[in-house]
Amino acid sequence: MKKIIAFFAFILFVGFSFAQTASVDGDKASIAKQVEMGKFKIEMPESTSAEDINKSAEYYVDYFTVDFNAESKIATITMVDNTPSSRRVINRLLLSNGVRTIAFNGEEYSINEFYDEFLAQ
């Protein structure tokens, strides 16, 4: 029984250790402006490659386009249809690239918390 518990604890530890954090600069007013414009800048984790972003972004062209700068790691997401349900799809892009949390305005949010708090407007 101890081995089973230890195994599951190890799996959880490994799973959380691969979770990565993206970041968004600014404050609540600046993110509200980005939502209004339908254009977001998200700094992806250092391990993110242009190939990974481009491969993931191919699935979401009906919702947004992604311009990724490999040097700065900034993904500029431009919405095709700027609606709350379309903005929710940004979560899928982040998840497919290993992002689980977003650092914003001095705090960390899960991607769902970030969507609920700032993008669902």
Side-chain angles (χ1 to χ4, degrees), residues 26-47:
D27 55 18
K28 288 183 180 185
S30 65
I31 197 70
K33 180 81 171 163
Q34 290 183 47
V35 168
E36 181 183 320
M37 292 174 35
K39 192 170 188 174
F40 306 93
K41 292 187 182 269
I42 301 174
E43 184 176 349
M44 300 299 287
E46 190 61 37
S47 62

Side-chain angles (χ1 to χ4, degrees), residues 64-119:
F64 52 76
T65 60
V66 179
D67 181 32
F68 183 67
N69 183 319
E71 287 183 22
S72 67
K73 300 297 182 184
I74 302 286
T76 303
I77 300 170
T78 305
M79 302 305 299
V80 171
D81 184 21
N82 192 19
T83 63
S85 59
S86 292
R87 289 191 296 270
R88 182 175 286 284
V89 179
I90 293 171
N91 289 0
R92 294 185 201 165
L93 175 75
L94 296 172
L95 281 171
S96 67
N97 285 280
V99 174
R100 301 291 184 264
T101 57
I102 297 177
F104 175 68
N105 202 21
E107 294 185 43
E108 285 195 4
Y109 300 87
S110 73
I111 58 173
N112 288 325
E113 290 170 339
F114 186 80
Y115 170 82
D116 291 341
E117 184 78 23
F118 304 107
L119 303 183

Side-chain angles (χ1 to χ4, degrees), residues 3-65:
K3 288 182 181 181
I4 292 173
I5 292 171
F7 175 73
F8 283 116
F10 175 75
I11 294 297
L12 285 174
F13 174 76
V14 170
F16 284 116
S17 67
F18 287 112
Q20 298 183 55
T21 301
S23 63
V24 175
D25 287 337
D27 55 18
K28 288 183 180 185
S30 65
I31 197 70
K33 180 81 171 163
Q34 290 183 47
V35 168
E36 181 183 320
M37 292 174 35
K39 192 170 188 174
F40 306 93
K41 292 187 182 269
I42 301 174
E43 184 176 349
M44 300 299 287
E46 190 61 37
S47 62
T48 305
S49 71
E51 182 181 332
D52 292 339
I53 289 287
N54 293 333
K55 187 176 180 181
S56 298
E58 288 176 359
Y59 294 102
Y60 309 117
V61 294
D62 292 339
Y63 302 97
F64 52 76
T65 60

